[in-house]
Amino acid sequence: MGTVALAGSSLASGRRASADPLQTLKIGDGDLQAAADRSAVTDVILRERLARELHDPDEEAACFQPGATVAVSWFKGSAAAFIQSGGQTPSTKTVNFDSMSPPVITLNQDRATADAACAVHTFTQLEGVEVSSISYTRLLWRVQKARGRWLIASLECIYIRDELGPRDPGQLLKLDPNRLNRYRESYRYLSYILTASGRPCYDDLPGVDRPETVAAVRASARAWMAM
């Protein structure tokens, strides 16, 4: 067990230690291990996101455990197949990157979940117009420790809302309202972009427009944590 002296305390100034419990903070070995585990979990999920953005399949693969899965708007399947798709040479007409909040880490021995707000930015062409879109989501990871290493067991996305507009404010972007209305409100414009580019888009993903889907994915994560 270690002791941390707070700023202005007698330990910090060299004077005799005070008995006031507010002046010192005792940190047990369990607290130190939990802090180390939270740091390691945060590191692995951030490294995976960076590797994805840089199209580095080797680095991305090093972040997942064997048998890991991924479920996002355009992909459901093994992490291995997801990594393979991201390692391909990116199109110069489309740029994607994420802006993430610090994750909230929940630990239970050798299992952890990580939950972070994430804005997915896309720059591409749609209907002959250069556009930018932002998908507001929460990313939910399951992470497991094996042989001393924390690795990702699964990655899922909860969709909130999205937006779309022309990069040039002087241009007019016209969308097909009949097509647009077929898509889920939580990721409507993302669905439009994906299908326009010939990519699949799943209709059954967790989204706040269907609260029961969000409740189900969170309940599943809690059950996995308790195993």
Side-chain angles (χ1 to χ4, degrees):
M1 177 178 292
T3 301
V4 176
L6 302 180
S9 71
S10 56
L11 289 178
S13 63
R15 299 192 301 273
R16 183 178 179 180
S18 169
D20 186 347
L22 296 178
Q23 294 298 309
T24 58
L25 177 65
K26 293 184 177 180
I27 302 176
D29 293 339
D31 298 316
L32 293 173
Q33 184 61 56
D37 286 338
R38 285 191 172 88
S39 177
V41 170
T42 300
D43 179 70
V44 74
I45 65 175
L46 292 180
R47 283 193 295 111
E48 186 278 327
R49 290 289 80 198
L50 177 60
R52 186 73 185 181
E53 187 175 320
L54 298 179
H55 303 277
D56 185 342
D58 293 335
E59 177 66 16
E60 189 176 13
C63 299
F64 285 97
Q65 68 178 30
T69 59
V70 175
V72 293
S73 60
W74 60 274
F75 182 90
K76 284 186 180 182
S78 70
F82 180 73
I83 292 164
Q84 185 178 19
S85 70
Q88 300 170 1
T89 302
S91 168
T92 57
K93 293 183 178 180
T94 300
V95 176
N96 298 290
F97 68 94
D98 296 345
S99 298
M100 285 175 48
S101 72
V104 175
I105 309 298
T106 303
L107 299 170
N108 184 19
Q109 299 182 27
D110 64 347
R111 296 191 175 205
T113 58
D115 189 328
C118 179
V120 183
H121 303 262
T122 301
F123 298 92
T124 189
Q125 289 192 359
L126 183 64
E127 311 292 355
V129 177
E130 289 190 2
V131 299
S132 64
S133 73
I134 304 176
S135 299
Y136 299 99
T137 72
R138 295 204 71 86
L139 295 181
L140 180 63
W141 296 263
R142 301 180 191 185
V143 190
Q144 194 163 12
K145 191 176 186 178
R147 295 184 293 279
R149 293 185 62 205
W150 287 97
L151 296 173
I152 299 168
S154 72
L155 168 60
E156 296 175 280
C157 190
I158 296 172
Y159 292 87
I160 302 171
R161 285 291 188 275
D162 60 357
E163 58 187 43
L164 171 68
R167 291 189 62 200
D168 180 352
Q171 286 190 295
L172 179 63
L173 176 63
K174 292 184 178 181
L175 304 180
D176 183 337
N178 293 324
R179 283 177 53 196
L180 192 62
N181 289 334
R182 291 201 300 263
Y183 303 130
R184 296 263 307 274
E185 190 175 4
S186 285
Y187 50 107
R188 177 169 290 164
Y189 298 108
L190 174 60
S191 300
Y192 197 105
I193 291 172
L194 288 172
T195 55
S197 66
R199 303 175 77 181
C201 185
Y202 294 95
D203 185 63
D204 59 349
L205 296 169
V208 298
D209 59 333
R210 297 179 185 174
E212 70 280 3
T213 63
V214 177
V217 74
R218 292 197 177 281
S220 177
R222 288 192 297 269
W224 177 82
M225 282 281 286
M227 292 175 63

